PDB file of all heavy atoms in Angstrom:
ATOM      1  N   PHE U 200     177.269  96.527 339.844  1.00 96.00           N
ATOM      2  CA  PHE U 200     178.656  96.568 340.167  1.00 96.00           C
ATOM      3  C   PHE U 200     178.964  97.993 340.680  1.00 96.00           C
ATOM      4  O   PHE U 200     178.815  98.944 340.040  1.00 96.00           O
ATOM      5  CB  PHE U 200     179.500  96.402 338.877  1.00 96.00           C
ATOM      6  CG  PHE U 200     181.022  96.190 339.189  1.00 96.00           C
ATOM      7  CD1 PHE U 200     181.565  94.957 339.011  1.00 96.00           C
ATOM      8  CD2 PHE U 200     181.756  97.235 339.458  1.00 96.00           C
ATOM      9  CE1 PHE U 200     182.911  94.698 339.238  1.00 96.00           C
ATOM     10  CE2 PHE U 200     183.159  97.106 339.620  1.00 96.00           C
ATOM     11  CZ  PHE U 200     183.760  95.811 339.571  1.00 96.00           C
ATOM     12  N   CYS U 201     179.361  98.046 341.941  1.00 93.00           N
ATOM     13  CA  CYS U 201     179.694  99.390 342.599  1.00 93.00           C
ATOM     14  C   CYS U 201     181.044  99.379 343.058  1.00 93.00           C
ATOM     15  O   CYS U 201     181.718  98.397 343.492  1.00 93.00           O
ATOM     16  CB  CYS U 201     178.680  99.630 343.766  1.00 93.00           C
ATOM     17  SG  CYS U 201     178.928  98.799 345.264  1.00 93.00           S
ATOM     18  N   SER U 202     181.645 100.629 343.115  1.00 91.00           N
ATOM     19  CA  SER U 202     183.038 100.856 343.632  1.00 91.00           C
ATOM     20  C   SER U 202     182.971 102.278 344.280  1.00 91.00           C
ATOM     21  O   SER U 202     181.963 102.865 344.210  1.00 91.00           O
ATOM     22  CB  SER U 202     184.038 100.796 342.434  1.00 91.00           C
ATOM     23  OG  SER U 202     185.369 100.724 342.959  1.00 91.00           O
ATOM     24  N   ARG U 203     184.115 102.626 344.803  1.00 85.00           N
ATOM     25  CA  ARG U 203     184.190 103.790 345.675  1.00 85.00           C
ATOM     26  C   ARG U 203     184.024 105.042 344.774  1.00 85.00           C
ATOM     27  O   ARG U 203     183.348 105.998 345.152  1.00 85.00           O
ATOM     28  CB  ARG U 203     185.453 103.878 346.460  1.00 85.00           C
ATOM     29  CG  ARG U 203     185.478 102.810 347.647  1.00 85.00           C
ATOM     30  CD  ARG U 203     186.700 103.098 348.491  1.00 85.00           C
ATOM     31  NE  ARG U 203     187.912 103.128 347.798  1.00 85.00           N
ATOM     32  CZ  ARG U 203     188.581 104.238 347.658  1.00 85.00           C
ATOM     33  NH1 ARG U 203     188.287 105.328 348.132  1.00 85.00           N
ATOM     34  NH2 ARG U 203     189.665 104.208 346.907  1.00 85.00           N
ATOM     35  N   THR U 204     184.663 105.089 343.734  1.00 83.00           N
ATOM     36  CA  THR U 204     184.860 106.407 342.927  1.00 83.00           C
ATOM     37  C   THR U 204     184.293 106.187 341.436  1.00 83.00           C
ATOM     38  O   THR U 204     184.372 105.001 340.880  1.00 83.00           O
ATOM     39  CB  THR U 204     186.223 106.957 342.931  1.00 83.00           C
ATOM     40  OG1 THR U 204     187.156 105.973 342.156  1.00 83.00           O
ATOM     41  CG2 THR U 204     186.773 107.065 344.352  1.00 83.00           C
ATOM     42  N   HIS U 205     183.944 107.252 340.777  1.00 85.00           N
ATOM     43  CA  HIS U 205     183.602 107.179 339.456  1.00 85.00           C
ATOM     44  C   HIS U 205     184.765 106.874 338.517  1.00 85.00           C
ATOM     45  O   HIS U 205     184.679 106.204 337.502  1.00 85.00           O
ATOM     46  CB  HIS U 205     182.946 108.531 339.003  1.00 85.00           C
ATOM     47  CG  HIS U 205     181.652 108.873 339.629  1.00 85.00           C
ATOM     48  ND1 HIS U 205     180.475 108.089 339.321  1.00 85.00           N
ATOM     49  CD2 HIS U 205     181.367 109.694 340.570  1.00 85.00           C
ATOM     50  CE1 HIS U 205     179.482 108.561 340.125  1.00 85.00           C
ATOM     51  NE2 HIS U 205     179.951 109.554 340.846  1.00 85.00           N
ATOM     52  N   GLN U 207     187.280 104.791 339.320  1.00 86.00           N
ATOM     53  CA  GLN U 207     187.378 103.331 339.324  1.00 86.00           C
ATOM     54  C   GLN U 207     186.336 102.633 338.512  1.00 86.00           C
ATOM     55  O   GLN U 207     186.606 101.723 337.754  1.00 86.00           O
ATOM     56  CB  GLN U 207     187.333 102.856 340.802  1.00 86.00           C
ATOM     57  CG  GLN U 207     188.497 103.199 341.619  1.00 86.00           C
ATOM     58  CD  GLN U 207     188.244 102.949 343.133  1.00 86.00           C
ATOM     59  OE1 GLN U 207     187.209 102.936 343.564  1.00 86.00           O
ATOM     60  NE2 GLN U 207     189.318 102.947 343.829  1.00 86.00           N
ATOM     61  N   LEU U 208     185.131 103.192 338.513  1.00 90.00           N
ATOM     62  CA  LEU U 208     183.967 102.541 337.704  1.00 90.00           C
ATOM     63  C   LEU U 208     184.377 102.752 336.130  1.00 90.00           C
ATOM     64  O   LEU U 208     184.093 101.858 335.374  1.00 90.00           O
ATOM     65  CB  LEU U 208     182.712 103.219 338.047  1.00 90.00           C
ATOM     66  CG  LEU U 208     182.096 102.833 339.399  1.00 90.00           C
ATOM     67  CD1 LEU U 208     180.941 103.724 339.692  1.00 90.00           C
ATOM     68  CD2 LEU U 208     181.687 101.310 339.483  1.00 90.00           C
ATOM     69  N   LEU U 340     177.647 101.802 339.385  1.00 93.00           N
ATOM     70  CA  LEU U 340     177.243 102.765 340.221  1.00 93.00           C
ATOM     71  C   LEU U 340     178.089 102.912 341.473  1.00 93.00           C
ATOM     72  O   LEU U 340     178.727 101.997 341.881  1.00 93.00           O
ATOM     73  CB  LEU U 340     175.749 102.583 340.679  1.00 93.00           C
ATOM     74  CG  LEU U 340     175.445 101.384 341.592  1.00 93.00           C
ATOM     75  CD1 LEU U 340     173.888 101.524 342.039  1.00 93.00           C
ATOM     76  CD2 LEU U 340     175.609  99.976 340.937  1.00 93.00           C
ATOM     77  N   PRO U 341     178.238 104.067 342.096  1.00 92.00           N
ATOM     78  CA  PRO U 341     179.055 104.353 343.143  1.00 92.00           C
ATOM     79  C   PRO U 341     178.348 103.904 344.476  1.00 92.00           C
ATOM     80  O   PRO U 341     177.133 103.470 344.474  1.00 92.00           O
ATOM     81  CB  PRO U 341     179.100 105.814 343.291  1.00 92.00           C
ATOM     82  CG  PRO U 341     177.945 106.416 342.641  1.00 92.00           C
ATOM     83  CD  PRO U 341     177.556 105.360 341.569  1.00 92.00           C
ATOM     84  N   TYR U 342     179.074 103.650 345.524  1.00 91.00           N
ATOM     85  CA  TYR U 342     178.662 103.154 346.844  1.00 91.00           C
ATOM     86  C   TYR U 342     177.258 103.776 347.254  1.00 91.00           C
ATOM     87  O   TYR U 342     176.378 103.083 347.651  1.00 91.00           O
ATOM     88  CB  TYR U 342     179.692 103.330 347.903  1.00 91.00           C
ATOM     89  CG  TYR U 342     180.739 102.270 347.949  1.00 91.00           C
ATOM     90  CD1 TYR U 342     180.830 101.320 346.986  1.00 91.00           C
ATOM     91  CD2 TYR U 342     181.746 102.344 348.895  1.00 91.00           C
ATOM     92  CE1 TYR U 342     181.816 100.338 347.065  1.00 91.00           C
ATOM     93  CE2 TYR U 342     182.733 101.427 348.967  1.00 91.00           C
ATOM     94  CZ  TYR U 342     182.884 100.413 348.099  1.00 91.00           C
ATOM     95  OH  TYR U 342     183.833  99.461 348.107  1.00 91.00           O
ATOM     96  N   GLN U 343     177.246 105.030 347.254  1.00 88.00           N
ATOM     97  CA  GLN U 343     176.085 105.844 347.796  1.00 88.00           C
ATOM     98  C   GLN U 343     174.749 105.240 347.179  1.00 88.00           C
ATOM     99  O   GLN U 343     173.808 105.089 347.896  1.00 88.00           O
ATOM    100  CB  GLN U 343     176.280 107.344 347.520  1.00 88.00           C
ATOM    101  CG  GLN U 343     175.042 108.158 348.027  1.00 88.00           C
ATOM    102  CD  GLN U 343     175.031 108.320 349.538  1.00 88.00           C
ATOM    103  OE1 GLN U 343     175.995 108.143 350.205  1.00 88.00           O
ATOM    104  NE2 GLN U 343     173.921 108.718 350.031  1.00 88.00           N
ATOM    105  N   LEU U 344     174.805 105.146 345.872  1.00 90.00           N
ATOM    106  CA  LEU U 344     173.528 104.832 345.188  1.00 90.00           C
ATOM    107  C   LEU U 344     173.179 103.350 345.433  1.00 90.00           C
ATOM    108  O   LEU U 344     171.943 103.045 345.409  1.00 90.00           O
ATOM    109  CB  LEU U 344     173.690 104.892 343.674  1.00 90.00           C
ATOM    110  CG  LEU U 344     173.495 106.376 343.065  1.00 90.00           C
ATOM    111  CD1 LEU U 344     173.798 106.296 341.554  1.00 90.00           C
ATOM    112  CD2 LEU U 344     172.146 106.881 343.320  1.00 90.00           C
ATOM    113  N   LEU U 345     174.125 102.498 345.937  1.00 92.00           N
ATOM    114  CA  LEU U 345     173.554 101.121 346.228  1.00 92.00           C
ATOM    115  C   LEU U 345     173.353 100.911 347.570  1.00 92.00           C
ATOM    116  O   LEU U 345     172.433 100.313 348.021  1.00 92.00           O
ATOM    117  CB  LEU U 345     174.735 100.178 345.750  1.00 92.00           C
ATOM    118  CG  LEU U 345     174.448  98.716 346.019  1.00 92.00           C
ATOM    119  CD1 LEU U 345     173.541  98.041 344.850  1.00 92.00           C
ATOM    120  CD2 LEU U 345     175.705  97.931 346.206  1.00 92.00           C
ATOM    121  N   LEU U 346     174.246 101.434 348.507  1.00 93.00           N
ATOM    122  CA  LEU U 346     174.154 101.192 349.912  1.00 93.00           C
ATOM    123  C   LEU U 346     173.174 101.959 350.688  1.00 93.00           C
ATOM    124  O   LEU U 346     172.739 101.593 351.752  1.00 93.00           O
ATOM    125  CB  LEU U 346     175.570 101.381 350.532  1.00 93.00           C
ATOM    126  CG  LEU U 346     176.682 100.539 349.930  1.00 93.00           C
ATOM    127  CD1 LEU U 346     178.060 100.894 350.577  1.00 93.00           C
ATOM    128  CD2 LEU U 346     176.380  99.019 350.131  1.00 93.00           C
ATOM    129  N   HIS U 347     172.759 103.194 350.127  1.00 92.00           N
ATOM    130  CA  HIS U 347     171.860 104.036 350.693  1.00 92.00           C
ATOM    131  C   HIS U 347     170.379 103.727 350.279  1.00 92.00           C
ATOM    132  O   HIS U 347     170.217 104.029 349.092  1.00 92.00           O
ATOM    133  CB  HIS U 347     172.178 105.520 350.627  1.00 92.00           C
ATOM    134  CG  HIS U 347     171.408 106.483 351.421  1.00 92.00           C
ATOM    135  ND1 HIS U 347     170.356 107.273 350.969  1.00 92.00           N
ATOM    136  CD2 HIS U 347     171.409 106.711 352.782  1.00 92.00           C
ATOM    137  CE1 HIS U 347     169.881 107.997 351.906  1.00 92.00           C
ATOM    138  NE2 HIS U 347     170.481 107.544 353.056  1.00 92.00           N
ATOM    139  N   LYS U 348     169.557 103.214 351.152  1.00 91.00           N
ATOM    140  CA  LYS U 348     168.305 102.728 350.636  1.00 91.00           C
ATOM    141  C   LYS U 348     167.498 103.807 349.984  1.00 91.00           C
ATOM    142  O   LYS U 348     166.863 103.664 348.944  1.00 91.00           O
ATOM    143  CB  LYS U 348     167.548 102.196 351.819  1.00 91.00           C
ATOM    144  CG  LYS U 348     166.184 101.603 351.453  1.00 91.00           C
ATOM    145  CD  LYS U 348     165.494 100.919 352.652  1.00 91.00           C
ATOM    146  CE  LYS U 348     164.155 100.211 352.212  1.00 91.00           C
ATOM    147  NZ  LYS U 348     163.480  99.596 353.342  1.00 91.00           N
ATOM    148  N   SER U 350     168.359 106.545 348.495  1.00 88.00           N
ATOM    149  CA  SER U 350     168.980 106.872 347.153  1.00 88.00           C
ATOM    150  C   SER U 350     168.722 105.779 346.171  1.00 88.00           C
ATOM    151  O   SER U 350     168.387 106.077 345.002  1.00 88.00           O
ATOM    152  CB  SER U 350     170.527 107.094 347.293  1.00 88.00           C
ATOM    153  OG  SER U 350     170.802 108.140 348.184  1.00 88.00           O
ATOM    154  N   ARG U 351     168.769 104.534 346.619  1.00 89.00           N
ATOM    155  CA  ARG U 351     168.543 103.376 345.781  1.00 89.00           C
ATOM    156  C   ARG U 351     167.114 103.434 345.309  1.00 89.00           C
ATOM    157  O   ARG U 351     166.860 103.226 344.071  1.00 89.00           O
ATOM    158  CB  ARG U 351     168.769 102.125 346.562  1.00 89.00           C
ATOM    159  CG  ARG U 351     168.937 100.880 345.706  1.00 89.00           C
ATOM    160  CD  ARG U 351     169.576  99.730 346.520  1.00 89.00           C
ATOM    161  NE  ARG U 351     168.673  99.292 347.614  1.00 89.00           N
ATOM    162  CZ  ARG U 351     169.054  99.341 348.940  1.00 89.00           C
ATOM    163  NH1 ARG U 351     170.232  99.782 349.276  1.00 89.00           N
ATOM    164  NH2 ARG U 351     168.254  98.883 349.912  1.00 89.00           N
ATOM    165  N   ILE U 364     177.858  93.183 343.192  1.00 96.00           N
ATOM    166  CA  ILE U 364     179.266  93.086 343.243  1.00 96.00           C
ATOM    167  C   ILE U 364     179.757  94.363 343.875  1.00 96.00           C
ATOM    168  O   ILE U 364     179.683  95.493 343.304  1.00 96.00           O
ATOM    169  CB  ILE U 364     179.922  92.755 341.907  1.00 96.00           C
ATOM    170  CG1 ILE U 364     179.445  91.517 341.314  1.00 96.00           C
ATOM    171  CG2 ILE U 364     181.473  92.773 342.070  1.00 96.00           C
ATOM    172  CD1 ILE U 364     179.924  91.196 339.819  1.00 96.00           C
ATOM    173  N   ILE U 365     180.463  94.240 345.039  1.00 95.00           N
ATOM    174  CA  ILE U 365     181.010  95.403 345.731  1.00 95.00           C
ATOM    175  C   ILE U 365     182.589  95.343 345.591  1.00 95.00           C
ATOM    176  O   ILE U 365     183.085  94.567 346.286  1.00 95.00           O
ATOM    177  CB  ILE U 365     180.539  95.538 347.139  1.00 95.00           C
ATOM    178  CG1 ILE U 365     178.990  95.579 347.195  1.00 95.00           C
ATOM    179  CG2 ILE U 365     181.127  96.804 347.807  1.00 95.00           C
ATOM    180  CD1 ILE U 365     178.515  95.545 348.660  1.00 95.00           C
ATOM    181  N   ASP U 366     183.142  96.220 344.793  1.00 92.00           N
ATOM    182  CA  ASP U 366     184.642  96.134 344.590  1.00 92.00           C
ATOM    183  C   ASP U 366     185.291  97.110 345.540  1.00 92.00           C
ATOM    184  O   ASP U 366     184.595  98.065 346.045  1.00 92.00           O
ATOM    185  CB  ASP U 366     184.901  96.557 343.081  1.00 92.00           C
ATOM    186  CG  ASP U 366     186.329  96.079 342.675  1.00 92.00           C
ATOM    187  OD1 ASP U 366     186.965  95.393 343.534  1.00 92.00           O
ATOM    188  OD2 ASP U 366     186.793  96.554 341.625  1.00 92.00           O
ATOM    189  N   GLU U 367     186.571  96.971 345.725  1.00 88.00           N
ATOM    190  CA  GLU U 367     187.320  97.779 346.651  1.00 88.00           C
ATOM    191  C   GLU U 367     186.563  97.928 348.026  1.00 88.00           C
ATOM    192  O   GLU U 367     186.480  99.050 348.571  1.00 88.00           O
ATOM    193  CB  GLU U 367     187.433  99.249 346.047  1.00 88.00           C
ATOM    194  CG  GLU U 367     188.201  99.253 344.760  1.00 88.00           C
ATOM    195  CD  GLU U 367     189.610  98.739 344.754  1.00 88.00           C
ATOM    196  OE1 GLU U 367     190.148  98.832 345.908  1.00 88.00           O
ATOM    197  OE2 GLU U 367     190.119  98.297 343.763  1.00 88.00           O
ATOM    198  N   ALA U 368     186.311  96.786 348.554  1.00 89.00           N
ATOM    199  CA  ALA U 368     185.408  96.663 349.722  1.00 89.00           C
ATOM    200  C   ALA U 368     186.130  96.505 350.994  1.00 89.00           C
ATOM    201  O   ALA U 368     185.549  96.149 352.070  1.00 89.00           O
ATOM    202  CB  ALA U 368     184.415  95.563 349.529  1.00 89.00           C
ATOM    203  N   HIS U 369     187.417  96.904 350.972  1.00 87.00           N
ATOM    204  CA  HIS U 369     188.104  96.792 352.367  1.00 87.00           C
ATOM    205  C   HIS U 369     187.552  97.667 353.457  1.00 87.00           C
ATOM    206  O   HIS U 369     187.745  97.288 354.588  1.00 87.00           O
ATOM    207  CB  HIS U 369     189.564  97.180 352.105  1.00 87.00           C
ATOM    208  CG  HIS U 369     189.829  98.484 351.513  1.00 87.00           C
ATOM    209  ND1 HIS U 369     189.712  98.653 350.153  1.00 87.00           N
ATOM    210  CD2 HIS U 369     190.130  99.684 352.026  1.00 87.00           C
ATOM    211  CE1 HIS U 369     189.993  99.983 349.901  1.00 87.00           C
ATOM    212  NE2 HIS U 369     190.237 100.550 351.014  1.00 87.00           N
ATOM    213  N   ASN U 370     186.904  98.850 353.147  1.00 87.00           N
ATOM    214  CA  ASN U 370     186.309  99.606 354.156  1.00 87.00           C
ATOM    215  C   ASN U 370     184.823  99.626 354.035  1.00 87.00           C
ATOM    216  O   ASN U 370     184.150 100.632 354.330  1.00 87.00           O
ATOM    217  CB  ASN U 370     186.902 101.105 353.997  1.00 87.00           C
ATOM    218  CG  ASN U 370     188.265 101.208 354.515  1.00 87.00           C
ATOM    219  OD1 ASN U 370     188.691 100.482 355.400  1.00 87.00           O
ATOM    220  ND2 ASN U 370     189.066 102.172 353.912  1.00 87.00           N
ATOM    221  N   LEU U 371     184.265  98.554 353.642  1.00 92.00           N
ATOM    222  CA  LEU U 371     182.737  98.500 353.447  1.00 92.00           C
ATOM    223  C   LEU U 371     182.040  98.815 354.805  1.00 92.00           C
ATOM    224  O   LEU U 371     181.135  99.622 354.625  1.00 92.00           O
ATOM    225  CB  LEU U 371     182.297  97.083 352.978  1.00 92.00           C
ATOM    226  CG  LEU U 371     180.884  96.877 352.728  1.00 92.00           C
ATOM    227  CD1 LEU U 371     180.335  97.907 351.778  1.00 92.00           C
ATOM    228  CD2 LEU U 371     180.592  95.417 352.344  1.00 92.00           C
ATOM    229  N   LEU U 372     182.428  98.316 355.889  1.00 92.00           N
ATOM    230  CA  LEU U 372     181.777  98.566 357.168  1.00 92.00           C
ATOM    231  C   LEU U 372     181.770 100.068 357.558  1.00 92.00           C
ATOM    232  O   LEU U 372     180.756 100.715 357.828  1.00 92.00           O
ATOM    233  CB  LEU U 372     182.390  97.768 358.310  1.00 92.00           C
ATOM    234  CG  LEU U 372     182.075  96.287 358.238  1.00 92.00           C
ATOM    235  CD1 LEU U 372     183.023  95.628 359.325  1.00 92.00           C
ATOM    236  CD2 LEU U 372     180.636  96.020 358.522  1.00 92.00           C
ATOM    237  N   CYS U 374     182.223 102.444 355.373  1.00 92.00           N
ATOM    238  CA  CYS U 374     181.584 103.202 354.390  1.00 92.00           C
ATOM    239  C   CYS U 374     179.993 103.267 354.671  1.00 92.00           C
ATOM    240  O   CYS U 374     179.331 104.293 354.575  1.00 92.00           O
ATOM    241  CB  CYS U 374     181.754 102.587 353.017  1.00 92.00           C
ATOM    242  SG  CYS U 374     180.963 103.464 351.616  1.00 92.00           S
ATOM    243  N   ILE U 375     179.427 102.149 355.073  1.00 94.00           N
ATOM    244  CA  ILE U 375     178.000 102.057 355.408  1.00 94.00           C
ATOM    245  C   ILE U 375     177.787 102.899 356.653  1.00 94.00           C
ATOM    246  O   ILE U 375     176.785 103.661 356.673  1.00 94.00           O
ATOM    247  CB  ILE U 375     177.627 100.574 355.690  1.00 94.00           C
ATOM    248  CG1 ILE U 375     177.717  99.748 354.435  1.00 94.00           C
ATOM    249  CG2 ILE U 375     176.225 100.519 356.165  1.00 94.00           C
ATOM    250  CD1 ILE U 375     177.516  98.218 354.689  1.00 94.00           C
ATOM    251  N   ILE U 378     177.839 106.564 355.604  1.00 92.00           N
ATOM    252  CA  ILE U 378     176.689 106.989 354.704  1.00 92.00           C
ATOM    253  C   ILE U 378     175.464 107.287 355.625  1.00 92.00           C
ATOM    254  O   ILE U 378     174.707 108.175 355.373  1.00 92.00           O
ATOM    255  CB  ILE U 378     176.321 105.875 353.720  1.00 92.00           C
ATOM    256  CG1 ILE U 378     177.360 105.939 352.599  1.00 92.00           C
ATOM    257  CG2 ILE U 378     174.904 106.059 353.132  1.00 92.00           C
ATOM    258  CD1 ILE U 378     177.228 104.683 351.622  1.00 92.00           C
ATOM    259  N   VAL U 626     181.696  90.402 347.554  1.00 95.00           N
ATOM    260  CA  VAL U 626     182.451  91.465 348.243  1.00 95.00           C
ATOM    261  C   VAL U 626     183.951  91.283 347.995  1.00 95.00           C
ATOM    262  O   VAL U 626     184.455  90.219 348.399  1.00 95.00           O
ATOM    263  CB  VAL U 626     182.193  91.493 349.723  1.00 95.00           C
ATOM    264  CG1 VAL U 626     182.881  92.618 350.371  1.00 95.00           C
ATOM    265  CG2 VAL U 626     180.691  91.632 350.049  1.00 95.00           C
ATOM    266  N   ALA U 627     184.502  92.158 347.276  1.00 93.00           N
ATOM    267  CA  ALA U 627     185.945  91.852 346.771  1.00 93.00           C
ATOM    268  C   ALA U 627     186.768  93.079 347.023  1.00 93.00           C
ATOM    269  O   ALA U 627     186.420  94.179 347.116  1.00 93.00           O
ATOM    270  CB  ALA U 627     185.982  91.510 345.357  1.00 93.00           C
TER     271      ALA U 627
END
Side-chain angles (χ1 to χ4, degrees):
F200 190 106
C201 76
S202 192
R203 289 187 309 111
T204 66
H205 293 290
Q207 291 169 337
L208 290 172
L340 68 171
Y342 276 2
Q343 175 77 19
L344 277 178
L345 180 84
L346 300 177
H347 191 254
K348 184 177 181 180
S350 299
R351 195 165 66 236
I364 301 177
I365 304 175
D366 198 9
E367 301 296 337
H369 55 277
N370 283 333
L371 179 59
L372 288 170
C374 184
I375 297 173
I378 286 174
V626 181

